[in-house]
Structure formats: structure tokens, C-alpha cells
Amino acid sequence: MTILTIQHTTSYRYRQPVEPWPHRLMLRPRESRDLRLIAHDVAVSPQATVTWAHDVAGNAVATASFAGPTDRIAFHSRAVVELTAPAWPVFAIDVAAMRYPFRYSDDDWTDLGPLAVRQYEDRAGSLARWARAFVAGETTDTLALLKDISAGLGGWVSYEIRDDEGTQSPNETLERGRGSCRDYAVLFVEAVRSLGFGARIVSGYLYDPDTSLLGSAGAGSTHAWAEVFVPGAGWITFDPTNRSVGGANLIPVAVARDIRQTLPVAGSYAGAADAFDDMTVEVSVTA
């Protein structure tokens, strides 16, 4: 069991006062059997009205609505969590799903819906061929296959810190041979979807006290990874950036079909097109 404190501050500065539109915040850690949320609060400057709701995936979403113009906006989230995810998880996969290919039940297939549908074009089929190359023979061990794809991705793509807005397409990541954690996650999810698995993107925080993991800035940082649904085991966590399985050092905030649905802070403003000056993000994850 580990008690962690996560502090996340996103700040915007403008060259002149602007009228901020409502901002959407996804900052509250997502509770599960492996993570208990002890405390969480969000502070907004200037003062704003904050309302909470859950989206279609069950993520906690806050909306901050401002009363008037400002030249600075800051969002500060502080969470305290108890993390009990094992370092070496064991998965009770249904006998019928232990070997790939297998068939999801009708109910599972219906409920997975778009989570089993690819989100990016692959007209030349290069991504599908890349994923299919990990399949050893007519049948293969399901968990070993998923682990091989996660680990193999790291052997194909070199990690890089990208400050660019947005995410590369899976094919672009394969062609460039470089990508950030969010690019790794998207490529992995698209690859396993091409093989018929249901999968989803996860965003949250990475706890790295030894500062030895990719995607980390100090002892902790924002991070992106993936989950794959396997009957019996349920949603299995894969972090292809660090070639790991399980959530021992991961604090999930949001799960989604598409990574664009997991932005920690999203919003806009009414004002001059060149009014925006800069944005800073500060994150710490400490025990």
C-alpha cells in the first residue's frame, strides 16, 4: 500500500484581458479496487463556479465557469490516494479466452462497441501487418501476445518528449520511429483493436520515485497508457512506454475511446486571436 499526493497546476497567461469560456477539467483520480481516493480538491483563479458531472465512461468531469474578463487563469488540483495495485499481477483469464483468437460473448461485444473499432485510417494496411506479425501461429497465448505487442512497440519506437499539441497517428509513429507516451498508447490501442480486442486509452499520473521510467519528469508526471478487455480478467493495464503490465505505479484519471477525450484541461476564450501568451503545467507525485 502506498499513499501518494498528486499536485497538478495548469496556468494560462494572456497579453490582455479575455473573456474565458467554460473550461472542462479532468483531474480527479478514478477510484477502483486498486486505488482509493482519500481527498481531492480543485482551486481556480480567478474565482469561478465549479460544477461536477460524470461523462459516458464514468470519468469525473468538472466545469469551471468564470464571471468576467481576466489576463490569467490557474487551475490547481490536489489529490491524496491510496494505491494498492500489485507489482506482479496475476490475471484470472477465462479458459475460452486464454488462447488467441477467441470470441467475446455477445453481451461483451455489444458493450465494447466502438472500443473495439479502430479510430484511424490504415489504407495501406501497414499497422495491421505490424500487429499481425506478433501472432505466433494459428493460436497463441492471449496474455503473451498482448505483452509482446506492448514490449515490441518499445523496440520499434524511440521515446521522445513532445511538447507539440495533439497526438501522432499510429502510422505516423511507426513511420517516424519516435513518439511520446500518448503516441505509444494510441499506437498500442490501435494495434490490438486491429486484432479484434476491445481497448481504451487511459490518462493520469506516473509515480516514479527512482526517476528511472520513460515519460517521467522527476518523481511523477502526467502520463498515458492503455487497457485491454480480456474475459475473466477484465480490463488489463498495459504501459507500452515502459513495457509494463499492471498499475503498480499508475494513477488513472480518465478512460476513453479516443485520447482527445482525456485532456486534463480544455477550454477557450473570447478575445483577440493573439491574446494568448503562454501556458505552464506543473505536476508532482510524492509519497
Side-chain angles (χ1 to χ4, degrees):
M1 181 185 72
T2 305
I3 304 295
L4 299 174
T5 298
I6 304 114
Q7 300 202 63
H8 181 159
T9 302
T10 299
S11 302
Y12 298 94
R13 293 195 305 173
Y14 303 91
R15 297 184 178 90
Q16 61 197 61
V18 299
E19 194 80 39
W21 291 345
H23 280 58
R24 182 175 183 269
L25 314 177
M26 299 183 79
L27 298 167
R28 181 184 174 93
R30 187 180 171 98
E31 294 188 82
S32 69
R33 68 180 184 275
D34 295 328
L35 187 145
R36 181 170 72 91
L37 183 62
I38 298 172
H40 180 250
D41 59 80
V42 172
V44 182
S45 177
Q47 187 173 357
T49 300
V50 178
T51 57
W52 288 89
H54 285 88
D55 66 11
V56 69
N59 303 307
V61 181
T63 300
S65 301
F66 298 89
T70 181
D71 62 356
R72 293 173 183 265
I73 302 175
F75 304 97
H76 178 72
S77 168
R78 180 183 182 274
V80 181
V81 302
E82 178 185 272
L83 187 62
T84 58
W88 306 102
V90 176
F91 303 105
I93 298 174
D94 279 353
V95 173
M98 286 184 174
R99 304 287 298 177
Y100 174 85
F102 63 87
R103 185 182 184 280
Y104 287 117
S105 70
D106 291 344
D107 283 341
D108 284 347
W109 189 251
T110 298
D111 292 337
L112 286 169
L115 296 179
V117 177
R118 295 168 62 184
Q119 306 296 305
Y120 296 82
E121 287 188 356
D122 182 30
R123 291 180 179 176
S126 55
L127 174 61
R129 287 192 298 272
W130 181 83
R132 177 60 59 178
F134 289 95
V135 180
E138 292 185 6
T139 68
T140 189
D141 182 271
T142 298
L143 186 58
L145 169 61
L146 294 170
K147 288 180 177 179
D148 287 348
I149 296 173
S150 179
L153 194 158
W156 190 276
V157 180
S158 299
Y159 178 79
E160 69 173 1
I161 297 174
R162 282 202 313 108
D163 294 326
D164 303 352
E165 188 174 341
T167 304
Q168 297 175 169
S169 72
N171 289 83
E172 184 180 0
T173 301
L174 279 179
E175 291 167 4
R176 291 188 68 237
R178 299 192 303 278
S180 66
C181 64
R182 60 188 186 273
D183 302 318
Y184 275 64
V186 168
L187 173 54
F188 175 79
V189 165
E190 285 292 290
V192 300
R193 283 174 176 167
S194 77
L195 296 176
F197 289 96
R200 61 190 185 185
I201 297 286
V202 189
S203 70
Y205 303 100
L206 172 67
Y207 175 53
D208 181 21
D210 300 325
T211 64
S212 60
L213 300 175
L214 294 176
S216 178
S221 61
T222 55
H223 196 53
W225 59 97
E227 291 178 347
V228 181
F229 186 79
V230 179
W235 291 104
I236 299 179
T237 297
F238 291 89
D239 179 5
T241 305
N242 291 293
R243 308 184 188 190
S244 63
V245 181
N249 60 338
L250 300 170
I251 302 98
V253 170
V255 299
R257 168 183 53 81
D258 191 296
I259 197 165
R260 293 172 296 180
Q261 299 169 300
T262 66
L263 292 175
V265 179
S268 189
Y269 66 88
D274 61 351
F276 178 75
D277 188 8
D278 68 9
M279 178 186 77
T280 60
V281 179
E282 299 176 1
V283 175
S284 68
V285 182
T286 55

